[in-house]
Amino acid sequence: MKKLYFGSNLKMYKNIRETMDYLTKLQELTTDLDRDEITLFIIPSYTSLDRASWQIDQNQIRLGAQNMCWEERGQFTGEISPLMLQELGLQIVELGHSERRHVFGETDEMMEKKVKAALSHGFTALLCIGETGEEKDFGLSDEVLRKQLKVGFFGLKPEDAKNLWVAYEPVWAIGVNGKPATVEYAQEKHHVIKETLKELFGEAGRQIPVLYGGSVNPGNANGLIVQPDIDGLFVGRSAWDAGKFDELIRDAIKTYKDSL
Ligand code: PGA
């Protein structure tokens, strides 16, 4: 049985009070779910992280940051240092979300530096990758995904694999204007990703979980989670109500177990 990953990035939506209400409720609702079978993680705003890290049991809900600078200190106005995130006892750093790449101009070369900084500071690096609609239309999706992985993980060793996660989030599938990838398309791209990880890390590459994200919802989550190369779901809008996220997770776990 594969371990299942469920997580959400809260983007720039919830303030501190809303985040704490959400996390507390999600922790209560999911407390009976066996953490040997699933990993649950939430990536709130920076301003919520301090309180969240005190009040939330990270054995239940792992916490992460939405971004991180590759330098420890310096003239980087508006950035957040790995040392500052370390102070909070976080486990995960999300890097290269589509909005970082496409709204704020972050590049694969920056990802390479950020991933290395995340690993050297003891975080799990969650690297987000995905092709744009235009790249897909030109038939370039596989090349784009391979490049994002090969540059983002450049120079890493097989022993680094245990601290890497990947989220495949096609840019055209994300957010209010997004259209979810079909289950077949998602599985096909996850297969490309898994093969590339094997190429980069050998057998160790197999232990890197690859999550699908982009308009995951109660209608497609079960179809996605049973795919052989999909290890988890990285959910936006459909996760931001704790009760609904809990239901989506339970449904997906049941569907996956029934499929075995
Ligand atoms: P969405 O967001 O589920 O709202 O499309 C996904 C994401 O940006 O990770």
Side-chain angles (χ1 to χ4, degrees):
M1 182 175 153
K2 64 184 175 188
K3 185 162 194 185
L4 303 179
Y5 291 73
F6 297 96
S8 183
N9 156 22
L10 305 185
K11 304 193 181 181
M12 198 176 73
Y13 282 105
K14 292 184 192 293
N15 64 23
I16 299 173
R17 184 185 50 76
E18 290 163 342
T19 303
M20 292 317 302
D21 288 350
Y22 171 79
L23 286 170
T24 311
K25 188 162 176 213
L26 189 63
Q27 183 165 275
E28 272 166 28
L29 288 170
T30 59
T31 181
D32 62 310
L33 297 176
D34 183 349
R35 273 22 182 213
D36 289 333
E37 293 184 356
I38 69 155
T39 292
L40 176 59
F41 65 98
I42 298 293
I43 306 187
S45 65
Y46 289 133
T47 53
S48 310
L49 277 173
D50 185 31
R51 195 166 313 168
S53 67
W54 285 100
Q55 292 185 16
I56 295 301
D57 176 1
Q58 289 201 58
N59 295 315
Q60 299 282 314
I61 302 182
R62 299 200 204 182
L63 296 169
Q66 295 180 13
N67 183 24
M68 186 189 78
C69 186
W70 57 83
E71 292 290 344
E72 289 191 340
R73 53 175 69 79
Q75 302 177 103
F76 297 100
T77 302
E79 287 293 308
I80 189 107
S81 157
L83 299 180
M84 295 168 185
L85 297 180
Q86 265 181 340
E87 272 186 302
L88 299 172
L90 297 185
Q91 301 188 359
I92 304 159
V93 177
E94 176 182 3
L95 301 171
H97 184 274
S98 148
E99 289 144 22
R100 297 301 319 163
R101 292 177 188 263
H102 298 288
V103 184
F104 298 101
E106 294 193 3
T107 63
D108 287 331
E109 290 69 23
M110 290 179 184
M111 289 316 118
E112 188 218 330
K113 293 196 272 187
K114 288 181 182 219
V115 168
K116 288 198 172 71
L119 295 181
S120 67
H121 290 85
F123 299 111
T124 291
L126 167 56
L127 181 67
C128 302
I129 60 171
E131 79 284 5
T132 64
E134 197 185 18
E135 288 162 339
K136 175 173 179 277
D137 293 344
F138 278 117
L140 291 169
S141 305
D142 295 4
E143 283 91 332
V144 170
L145 298 175
R146 286 174 53 74
K147 175 170 182 271
Q148 290 174 337
L149 289 170
K150 289 178 95 164
V151 180
F153 291 160
F154 183 76
L156 300 186
K157 304 202 168 55
E159 52 269 33
D160 295 318
K162 61 182 183 306
N163 295 317
L164 299 173
W165 297 355
V166 171
Y168 169 54
E169 302 201 287
V171 179
W172 47 271
I174 294 175
V176 277
N177 300 316
K179 175 172 155 285
T182 61
V183 163
E184 296 72 27
Y185 186 86
Q187 162 56 28
E188 192 185 297
K189 298 307 151 208
H190 275 245
H191 190 70
V192 171
I193 292 166
K194 292 258 180 179
E195 288 298 307
T196 309
L197 293 172
K198 203 173 151 222
E199 203 180 299
L200 291 173
F201 297 99
E203 276 308 303
R206 290 193 189 281
Q207 56 178 290
I208 301 176
V210 184
L211 287 65
Y212 172 80
S215 294
V216 173
N217 62 66
N220 63 9
N222 296 343
L224 289 162
I225 202 70
V226 297
Q227 298 305 310
D229 292 314
I230 297 183
D231 301 301
L233 303 173
F234 196 27
V235 190
R237 289 155 295 154
S238 297
W240 297 339
D241 174 284
K244 293 200 176 118
F245 193 29
D246 172 61
E247 277 172 32
L248 184 148
I249 293 169
R250 282 176 196 278
D251 232 28
I253 296 172
K254 182 174 181 317
T255 308
Y256 173 67
K257 286 189 172 168
D258 288 350
S259 77
L260 295 176

Short mmCIF file of all heavy atoms in Angstrom, two decimals, residues 11 97 99 169 173-175 214-216 234-237, ligand 1:
data_model
loop_
_atom_site.label_atom_id
_atom_site.label_comp_id
_atom_site.label_asym_id
_atom_site.label_seq_id
_atom_site.Cartn_x
_atom_site.Cartn_y
_atom_site.Cartn_z
N LYS A 11 -2.38 29.96 0.22
CA LYS A 11 -2.10 31.15 -0.61
C LYS A 11 -2.25 32.42 0.23
O LYS A 11 -1.82 32.46 1.38
CB LYS A 11 -3.00 31.15 -1.84
CG LYS A 11 -2.88 29.87 -2.66
CD LYS A 11 -3.51 29.94 -4.02
CE LYS A 11 -3.33 28.60 -4.72
NZ LYS A 11 -3.89 28.58 -6.07
N HIS A 97 5.82 27.36 -6.73
CA HIS A 97 4.39 27.30 -7.10
C HIS A 97 4.17 28.11 -8.36
O HIS A 97 4.84 29.13 -8.58
CB HIS A 97 3.51 27.82 -5.96
CG HIS A 97 2.05 27.69 -6.25
ND1 HIS A 97 1.36 28.64 -6.95
CD2 HIS A 97 1.17 26.69 -5.99
CE1 HIS A 97 0.11 28.23 -7.10
NE2 HIS A 97 -0.03 27.05 -6.52
N GLU A 99 2.19 30.31 -9.16
CA GLU A 99 2.02 31.77 -8.98
C GLU A 99 3.36 32.45 -8.72
O GLU A 99 3.56 33.59 -9.12
CB GLU A 99 0.99 32.03 -7.87
CG GLU A 99 -0.41 31.66 -8.34
CD GLU A 99 -1.32 31.05 -7.28
OE1 GLU A 99 -1.07 31.25 -6.08
OE2 GLU A 99 -2.28 30.34 -7.66
N GLU A 169 1.53 20.41 -11.00
CA GLU A 169 0.36 21.29 -11.08
C GLU A 169 0.36 22.00 -12.42
O GLU A 169 1.03 23.04 -12.57
CB GLU A 169 0.41 22.33 -9.95
CG GLU A 169 0.46 21.71 -8.57
CD GLU A 169 0.00 22.70 -7.51
OE1 GLU A 169 0.75 23.64 -7.22
OE2 GLU A 169 -1.12 22.54 -7.02
N ALA A 173 -4.47 24.30 -15.12
CA ALA A 173 -5.47 23.60 -14.29
C ALA A 173 -5.70 24.29 -12.95
O ALA A 173 -6.60 23.91 -12.20
CB ALA A 173 -5.03 22.16 -14.05
N ILE A 174 -4.89 25.30 -12.64
CA ILE A 174 -4.91 25.89 -11.29
C ILE A 174 -5.88 27.07 -11.18
O ILE A 174 -5.95 27.91 -12.07
CB ILE A 174 -3.50 26.38 -10.92
CG1 ILE A 174 -2.54 25.19 -10.80
CG2 ILE A 174 -3.51 27.18 -9.63
CD1 ILE A 174 -1.10 25.59 -10.55
N GLY A 175 -6.58 27.12 -10.08
CA GLY A 175 -7.32 28.32 -9.70
C GLY A 175 -8.68 28.48 -10.34
O GLY A 175 -9.15 27.60 -11.07
N GLY A 214 -4.23 21.15 -8.90
CA GLY A 214 -4.85 21.92 -9.98
C GLY A 214 -6.30 21.54 -10.09
O GLY A 214 -6.64 20.52 -10.70
N SER A 215 -7.17 22.32 -9.42
CA SER A 215 -8.62 22.07 -9.45
C SER A 215 -9.01 20.68 -8.97
O SER A 215 -9.96 20.08 -9.48
CB SER A 215 -9.20 22.33 -10.84
OG SER A 215 -9.09 23.70 -11.18
N VAL A 216 -8.27 20.17 -7.99
CA VAL A 216 -8.72 18.92 -7.35
C VAL A 216 -10.03 19.25 -6.62
O VAL A 216 -10.15 20.30 -5.98
CB VAL A 216 -7.68 18.39 -6.34
CG1 VAL A 216 -8.24 17.20 -5.56
CG2 VAL A 216 -6.38 18.01 -7.04
N PHE A 234 -2.64 17.74 -3.90
CA PHE A 234 -2.29 19.06 -3.38
C PHE A 234 -3.46 19.97 -3.78
O PHE A 234 -3.64 20.28 -4.96
CB PHE A 234 -0.98 19.50 -4.02
CG PHE A 234 -0.31 20.65 -3.34
CD1 PHE A 234 -0.49 20.89 -1.98
CD2 PHE A 234 0.56 21.47 -4.04
CE1 PHE A 234 0.15 21.95 -1.35
CE2 PHE A 234 1.21 22.52 -3.43
CZ PHE A 234 1.01 22.76 -2.08
N VAL A 235 -4.24 20.32 -2.78
CA VAL A 235 -5.57 20.88 -3.06
C VAL A 235 -5.62 22.35 -2.68
O VAL A 235 -5.15 22.73 -1.61
CB VAL A 235 -6.63 20.09 -2.24
CG1 VAL A 235 -8.04 20.47 -2.68
CG2 VAL A 235 -6.41 18.59 -2.36
N GLY A 236 -6.21 23.16 -3.53
CA GLY A 236 -6.41 24.57 -3.20
C GLY A 236 -7.82 24.78 -2.69
O GLY A 236 -8.18 24.38 -1.57
N ARG A 237 -8.65 25.39 -3.54
CA ARG A 237 -9.99 25.83 -3.10
C ARG A 237 -10.81 24.76 -2.39
O ARG A 237 -11.50 25.05 -1.42
CB ARG A 237 -10.78 26.36 -4.32
CG ARG A 237 -10.26 27.69 -4.84
CD ARG A 237 -10.60 27.87 -6.30
NE ARG A 237 -9.89 26.86 -7.11
CZ ARG A 237 -10.30 26.41 -8.28
NH1 ARG A 237 -11.43 26.85 -8.79
NH2 ARG A 237 -9.59 25.52 -8.95
P1 PGA B 1 -6.75 24.94 -6.87
O1 PGA B 1 -5.25 25.37 -6.47
O2 PGA B 1 -7.01 23.59 -6.29
O3 PGA B 1 -7.60 26.00 -6.25
O4 PGA B 1 -6.82 24.94 -8.38
C1 PGA B 1 -4.22 24.46 -6.57
C2 PGA B 1 -2.89 25.07 -6.23
O5 PGA B 1 -2.62 26.22 -6.60
O6 PGA B 1 -2.07 24.40 -5.58
#
